Amino acid sequence: MKYLACMALSLSLTTVVSAEIYRSTDSRGTPVFSDTPQKGSERVDLLPANTTPAVTPEAKPAAPEKAAVSEDIPNIRITQPADGAVLANGLLGASVNLSLDRPLPPGYQIEFRLDGNVLQKGRQTQVNIPHLNRGQRLISARLLDPKNRVERQDESRITVYWPNN
């Protein structure tokens, strides 16, 4: 009973602790920051910390098995950025690299997309994205036949962050 009374008393005397910061200037004009107010100091309001909750990328669904149309049609694979990669600074952009297991046949093209929007279409196996917005992004590469039909496709889901502003 005595223990319970002491605990109730200590809880009633507890105050909420808040971190207040004060700014003042010393005799040489150097700014001084303290948690104790000094004569002539002013309270500094701190901005909340820039935090981003953890992101769990969605599992990439398995692509259905397709029968090879021809031995001459290459398989494609995005080698960079890897699926599930995290880019710490989307302001710097990214380079997307694609590998082919055999040469690209005449008339075939590669189409790179970011979130469904075409970035580049041609015979190049690399594209540079100068700037990426924050969040989850989907990069895809599609192998198009001479009639612009998709023969092969690969995707890479990435998470993009920006440095603190």
Side-chain angles (χ1 to χ4, degrees), residues 82-103:
D83 190 41
V86 174
L87 300 181
N89 189 351
L91 297 173
L92 297 177
S95 179
V96 180
N97 295 319
L98 182 73
S99 71
L100 305 170
D101 64 352
R102 60 184 61 88

Side-chain angles (χ1 to χ4, degrees), residues 9-159:
L9 180 63
S10 67
L11 286 174
S12 67
L13 296 176
T14 305
T15 59
V16 176
V17 177
S18 63
E20 292 183 352
I21 304 294
Y22 299 90
R23 182 181 190 270
S24 60
T25 307
D26 68 10
S27 60
R28 291 185 268 166
T30 306
V32 177
F33 295 91
S34 173
D35 60 354
T36 307
Q38 304 294 323
K39 185 177 180 181
S41 65
E42 59 185 37
R43 186 166 181 242
V44 177
D45 292 322
L46 299 176
L47 298 174
N50 185 1
T51 60
T52 303
V55 176
T56 305
E58 296 177 14
K60 182 177 177 182
E65 292 291 324
K66 281 176 75 175
V69 177
S70 167
E71 290 292 322
D72 297 333
I73 298 174
N75 291 311
I76 64 173
R77 186 172 66 88
I78 296 175
T79 56
Q80 182 184 345
D83 190 41
V86 174
L87 300 181
N89 189 351
L91 297 173
L92 297 177
S95 179
V96 180
N97 295 319
L98 182 73
S99 71
L100 305 170
D101 64 352
R102 60 184 61 88
L104 200 57
Y108 280 72
Q109 293 186 344
I110 298 167
E111 181 180 78
F112 288 96
R113 292 177 170 243
L114 175 63
D115 297 328
N117 299 314
V118 176
L119 292 171
Q120 174 179 296
K121 186 175 175 183
R123 296 182 61 85
Q124 302 85 356
T125 57
Q126 179 180 5
V127 64
N128 291 315
I129 306 171
H131 172 87
L132 287 162
N133 291 327
R134 288 185 272 208
Q136 291 190 353
R137 301 281 158 247
L138 175 63
I139 298 171
S140 61
R142 299 164 50 166
L143 178 65
L144 305 176
D145 71 6
K147 295 182 180 179
N148 281 328
R149 294 179 298 207
V150 178
E151 289 285 341
R152 305 270 195 273
Q153 179 171 323
D154 193 27
E155 296 177 342
S156 182
R157 295 179 194 281
I158 61 172
T159 302

